[in-house]
């Protein structure tokens, strides 16, 4: 009989230690080490394991025909867009999101649509009873869908049940933290149990060809809870995001072996469940406040889809020794860089002002093309000068103050023209883009200084005192030093 191997495993990152400690040295979290039996499947004697010889397998060359993996459309266009066109046979997806964000609602709708199209779909709930799942389906108007339900947490029982009869096309496990397997002796939800349960389900998916969706809990910082090795084991990791006060949700792919990772799916939470939003720009701009200083419309790209979103900025005098810099929906380091360029090359003094920047609607922007729109919103708020309501902005700002070109300019301009915008402020190198054919007036800028001077002139024309001061400060610092 082999001895049980006891060790202390971090419940946040999965690192193992020989003795208990208050702090995990791998992830830095406190009070996350728990004693677990990590012997697991290694209880077989070494003399027996060493007798097994490896099997021979065939080697192939690089040349040959490659067949695309067959996909099964889910019936939800936004979900198929994120996962790459549909579920791949034998694939395993991990879906994470904040509690109450709508993960169970999304997966209930997906399984119901597949079941209505004639495919076998199974929903295994480890957190809710069957009656609770039925109540949700009834509220969503999906009670007549032939989805097979079960409330079970034993992985061995789940695999044995699903192996009988026709192979399911889609299996939902809600959630992986509630599953447990007999191969390890840890409590459900521990790192060892989550890893072993996920491995057993992945092995079943690869063997049977069924697509499995694992629902994962998230930590306080938004990361999927459990060992990071689970994310490396699955084929795709999806993040379901959104604010509780907002009605829309965004599905984003963090990892995807069978599709892109830069696509997003946009849904609107209604009383009847999640509604797909084919044109997110109209949703993000639906409650736009026209004519207010400090707002600029950014024409961005999310994957292959152009998205127009409003950037809101507020620049206010501060009495603090260190001004506040708060940003929601954008990279704080990009905001710090834009503020530094504005002060160093454009003469805009922001060291005595608090700066707040928000992406309206809760969308998270990752591309640097939003630099120009953010700078325009900041200067507009400081000068109290409203930007043109029919203008969109996009362009990357370099540390020298130059406006650099960005990719997919034509798609951005076409989306702006489709939504009724009349002009676009973009980099100088995009002068030859076919935006004029769509009815857009292109205003190209080579440096950030010219844009700041134009906004300052608007504030000065309105007789605003801050605008006059900004126009004087909009001269490059080097020119002011040379002329005393």
């Amino acid at each position: 009989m082999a001895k049980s191997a006891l060790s202390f495993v971090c419940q946040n990152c999965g690192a193992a230690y020989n003795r208990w400690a208050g702090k995990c040295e791998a992830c830095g979290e406190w009070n996350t080490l728990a004693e677990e039996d990590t012997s697991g499947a290694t209880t077989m004697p070494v003399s027996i394991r060493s007798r097994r010889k490896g099997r021979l397998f065939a080697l192939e060359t690089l040349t040959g025909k490659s067949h695309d993996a067959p996909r099964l459309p889910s019936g939800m266009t936004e979900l198929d867009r994120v996962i790459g066109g549909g579920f791949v046979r034998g694939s395993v997806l991990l879906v994470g999101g904040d509690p109450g964000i709508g993960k169970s609602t999304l997966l209930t709708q997906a399984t119901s649509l597949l079941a209505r199209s004639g495919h076998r779909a199974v929903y295994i709930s480890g957190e809710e009873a069957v009656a609770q799942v039925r109540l949700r389906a009834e509220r969503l108007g999906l009670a007549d869908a032939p989805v097979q339900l079960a409330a079970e947490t034993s992985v061995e029982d789940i695999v044995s049940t699903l192996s009988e009869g026709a192979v399911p096309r889609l299996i939902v496990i809600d959630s992986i933290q509630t599953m447990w397997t007999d191969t390890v002796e840890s409590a459900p939800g521990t790192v060892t149990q989550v890893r072993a349960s996920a491995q057993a389900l992945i092995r079943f998916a690869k063997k049977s060809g069924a697509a499995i969706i694992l629902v994962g809990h998230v930590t306080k910082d938004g990361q999927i809870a459990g060992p990071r090795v689970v994310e490396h084991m699955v084929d795709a990791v999806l993040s379901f995001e959104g604010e509780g006060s907002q009605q829309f949700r965004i599905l984003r792919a963090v990892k995807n072996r069978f599709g892109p990772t830069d696509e997003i799916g946009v849904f609107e939470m209604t009383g009847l469940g999640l509604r797909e939003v084919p044109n997110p720009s109209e949703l993000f701009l639906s409650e736009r406040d026209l004519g207010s200083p400090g707002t600029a419309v950014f024409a961005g790209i999310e994957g292959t889809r152009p998205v127009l979103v409003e950037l809101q900025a507020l620049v206010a005098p501060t009495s603090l020794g260190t001004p506040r810099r708060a940003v929601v929906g954008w990279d704080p380091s990009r905001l710090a860089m834009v503020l530094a360029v504005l002060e160093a090359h454009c003469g805009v003094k922001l060291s005595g002002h608090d700066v707040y920047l928000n992406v309206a609607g809760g969308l998270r922007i990752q591309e640097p093309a939003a630099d120009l729109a953010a700078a325009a919103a900041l200067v507009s708020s400081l000068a109290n000068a409203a930007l043109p309501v029919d203008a969109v902005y996009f362009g990357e700002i370099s540390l020298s103050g130059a406006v650099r070109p960005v990719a997919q300019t034509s798609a951005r301009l076409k989306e702006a023209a489709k939504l009724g915008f009349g002009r676009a402020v973009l980099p100088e190198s995009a002068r030859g883009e076919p935006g004029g054919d769509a009815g857009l007036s292109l205003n190209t800028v080579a440096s950030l200084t010219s844009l700041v001077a134009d906004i300052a002139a608007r504030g000065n024309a309105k007789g605003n005192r801050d605008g006059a001061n900004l126009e004087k400060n909009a001269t490059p610092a080097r020119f002011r030093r040379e002329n005393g």
Side-chain angles (χ1 to χ4, degrees):
M1 181 68 67
K3 294 182 180 179
S4 61
L6 296 177
S7 63
F8 296 89
V9 182
C10 177
Q11 304 302 306
N12 183 62
C13 66
Y17 300 90
N18 294 329
R19 59 169 59 182
W20 183 87
K23 178 181 180 181
C24 175
E25 298 297 335
C27 62
E29 294 292 331
W30 288 87
N31 300 325
T32 57
L33 299 187
E35 185 177 7
E36 295 184 12
D37 184 1
T38 59
S39 58
T42 62
T43 57
M44 184 183 299
V46 179
S47 59
I48 298 178
R49 297 200 306 267
S50 60
R51 294 176 186 174
R52 180 185 178 275
K53 295 183 179 180
R55 64 178 179 86
L56 300 177
F57 57 89
L59 299 176
E60 299 181 4
T61 61
L62 293 177
T63 59
K65 295 182 179 180
S66 299
H67 301 281
D68 295 335
R71 294 182 179 271
L72 176 65
S74 64
M76 305 180 71
T77 305
E78 295 298 308
L79 177 59
D80 291 338
R81 176 193 296 271
V82 176
I83 63 180
F87 297 109
V88 178
R89 289 181 178 270
S91 63
V92 180
L93 293 78
L94 180 62
V95 179
D98 294 331
I101 202 65
K103 301 185 297 297
S104 300
T105 302
L106 173 66
L107 299 180
T108 301
Q109 293 183 224
T111 52
S112 300
L113 291 175
L114 276 177
R116 285 178 174 177
S117 61
H119 302 285
R120 184 187 179 191
V122 181
Y123 192 101
I124 306 295
S125 177
E127 300 179 346
E128 298 176 306
V130 174
Q132 294 175 305
V133 180
R134 287 174 177 170
L135 286 176
R136 183 190 307 116
E138 184 178 354
R139 176 175 55 85
L140 300 177
L142 303 173
D144 59 338
V147 178
Q148 297 178 339
L149 302 177
E152 185 58 52
T153 57
S154 174
V155 174
E156 284 76 16
D157 295 344
I158 293 174
V159 171
S160 299
T161 303
L162 297 179
S163 301
E164 298 293 331
V167 178
R169 297 300 304 273
L170 179 63
I171 304 171
V172 175
I173 305 296
D174 188 6
S175 65
I176 189 59
Q177 274 81 10
T178 61
M179 298 293 121
W180 62 276
T181 174
D182 294 334
T183 58
V184 295
E185 298 181 359
S186 301
T190 58
V191 171
T192 305
Q193 278 286 2
V194 171
R195 184 191 298 113
S197 300
Q199 181 60 43
L201 293 171
I202 292 173
R203 188 164 53 248
F204 171 75
K206 303 303 179 183
K207 182 180 179 180
S208 63
I212 298 181
I213 299 179
L214 306 177
V215 179
H217 295 168
V218 297
T219 58
K220 57 185 179 181
D221 57 350
Q223 301 295 327
I224 296 179
R228 302 288 296 182
V229 68
V230 175
E231 298 187 17
H232 303 307
M233 293 161 56
V234 299
D235 298 308
V237 179
L238 307 181
S239 177
F240 203 44
E241 307 168 354
E243 297 291 340
S245 59
Q246 301 288 343
Q247 75 266 20
F248 67 90
R249 304 290 186 265
I250 297 176
L251 183 65
R252 190 186 305 271
V254 181
K255 167 192 173 182
N256 195 352
R257 290 175 179 167
F258 305 111
T261 57
D262 52 0
E263 293 284 357
I264 64 170
V266 183
F267 301 87
E268 183 182 6
M269 180 63 75
T270 64
L272 298 177
L274 293 170
R275 184 184 67 86
E276 300 181 68
V277 180
N279 190 355
S281 300
E282 294 182 353
L283 178 64
F284 294 142
L285 299 177
S286 59
E287 299 180 359
R288 181 186 172 202
D289 190 7
L290 301 178
S292 297
T295 61
V297 177
F298 165 60
I301 295 290
E302 291 290 342
T304 59
R305 169 192 292 177
V307 176
L308 269 63
V309 65
E310 183 183 38
L311 297 185
Q312 302 172 349
L314 175 62
V315 180
T318 181
S319 59
L320 302 176
T322 302
R324 294 197 60 184
R325 301 290 187 259
V327 56
V328 177
W330 201 39
D331 188 4
S333 60
R334 301 290 308 181
L335 174 62
M337 188 203 73
V338 171
L339 295 177
V341 173
L342 284 173
E343 187 155 356
H345 297 284
C346 303
V348 180
K349 301 301 182 182
L350 296 171
S351 57
H353 295 76
D354 291 333
V355 175
Y356 303 89
L357 184 68
N358 176 47
V359 179
L363 181 66
R364 190 175 73 249
I365 298 176
Q366 298 178 346
E367 60 174 335
D371 293 348
L372 193 63
L378 292 170
V379 178
S380 172
S381 176
L382 179 63
N384 197 23
L387 299 175
V389 296
D390 62 341
V392 297
Y393 299 80
F394 60 91
E396 180 183 357
I397 298 176
S398 65
L399 293 179
S400 62
V403 181
R404 299 172 57 86
V406 295
Q408 304 185 31
T409 301
S410 301
R412 304 173 195 263
L413 296 178
K414 291 179 181 179
E415 181 70 11
K418 184 172 64 175
L419 293 179
F421 288 88
R423 68 183 76 177
V425 181
L426 67 166
E428 180 73 26
S429 59
R431 183 180 296 274
E433 293 292 337
D437 299 339
L440 283 178
S441 175
L442 304 184
N443 182 16
T444 59
V445 291
S447 64
L448 188 59
T449 305
S450 58
L451 177 64
V452 172
D454 180 68
I455 299 176
R458 290 178 176 274
N460 189 32
K462 294 171 57 177
N464 183 274
R465 183 179 59 185
D466 293 338
N469 294 335
L470 183 61
E471 185 183 21
K472 178 180 65 176
N473 291 335
T475 310
R478 183 185 61 184
F479 180 82
R480 294 199 308 270
R481 289 195 301 266
E482 293 177 352
N483 292 271

